[in-house]
């Protein structure tokens, strides 16, 4: 029986095979945040000198990449990336995701938007039928904390301020529980439109292109 850590490693290794396919001196790889992404970063170290560099979705991942001697570029200096590799808190069969458990959702969404393909790496426990059991993170401008909370309550959720947490962008996170999100794209658009919401942790309008889900019997790939 593989441990959860071994499963995450398997998913990270599977994503490294995609890097192998696209590697080249001018190729920039988009890199996410989280414990699965950390394993991907450690494996990416062996591509030092074989890729042009990386763009990271958090200060934390940037530091880990730099620690391996990998070049970390500013997204403003990068026009395209063949792949962006990141984990998720939940993913469904449509490759819609909830992300942001680590608080890096805004930068994750921005970096992913510049990549041609989003490759989601996770162990199979992240695969759900309906998104929403994992509280939906929202990055919110601090002065909109209460107005956004009221709006989410009216939508049937229970928002809760993530205590003592400030994002890399200087904002707060509201974690919204009690949602069963049946129309992920519609709900994402609705929440994105609330004044004060910087980013909604739903990645459905632009979901993953490929999911590499580690199981006890190997990688299950969803496209
Ligand atoms: C990030 O890391 C997230 O958006 C998500 O919150 C999380 C998944 O972390 P882990 O791989 O540690 O489960 O990608």
């Amino acid at each position: 029986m593989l441990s959860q850590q071994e499963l995450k490693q398997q998913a990270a290794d599977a994503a490294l095979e995609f890097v192998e396919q696209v590697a080249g001196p001018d190729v920039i790889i988009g890199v996410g945040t989280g414990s699965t992404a950390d394993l991907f970063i450690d494996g990416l170290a062996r591509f030092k000198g074989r890729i042009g560099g990386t763009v990271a979705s958090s200060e934390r991942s940037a530091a880990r990449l730099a620690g391996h001697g990998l070049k970390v570029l500013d997204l403003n200096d990068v026009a395209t990336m063949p792949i962006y590799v990141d984990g998720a808190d939940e993913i469904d069969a449509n490759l819609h995701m909830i992300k942001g458990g680590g608080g890096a959702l805004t930068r994750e969404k921005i970096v992913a938007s510049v990549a041609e393909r989003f490759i989601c790496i996770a162990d199979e426990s992240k695969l759900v039928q309906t998104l929403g059991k994992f509280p939906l993170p929202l990055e919110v401008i601090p002065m909109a904390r209460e107005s956004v909370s009221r709006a989410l309550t009216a939508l049937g959720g229970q928002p809760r301020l993530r205590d003592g947490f400030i994002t890399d962008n200087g904002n707060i996170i509201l974690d919204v529980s009690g949602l069963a999100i049946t129309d992920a794209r519609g709900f994402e658009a609705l929440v994105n439109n609330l004044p004060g919401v910087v980013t909604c942790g739903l990645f459905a309008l632009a979901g993953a292109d490929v999911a590499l889900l580690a199981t006890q019997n190997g990688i299950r790939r969803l496209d």
Side-chain angles (χ1 to χ4, degrees), residues 8 32-38 57 60 84 86-89 98-105 108 121-123 126 134 137 203:
K8 287 179 183 182
T33 302
S35 60
T36 320
D38 280 349
S57 68
R60 168 185 148 176
Y84 171 73
D86 200 357
D89 298 307
I98 286 184
K99 290 175 52 55
L105 61 165
E108 289 172 354
I121 50 174
D123 66 83
K126 303 284 181 74
F134 188 95
F203 286 54

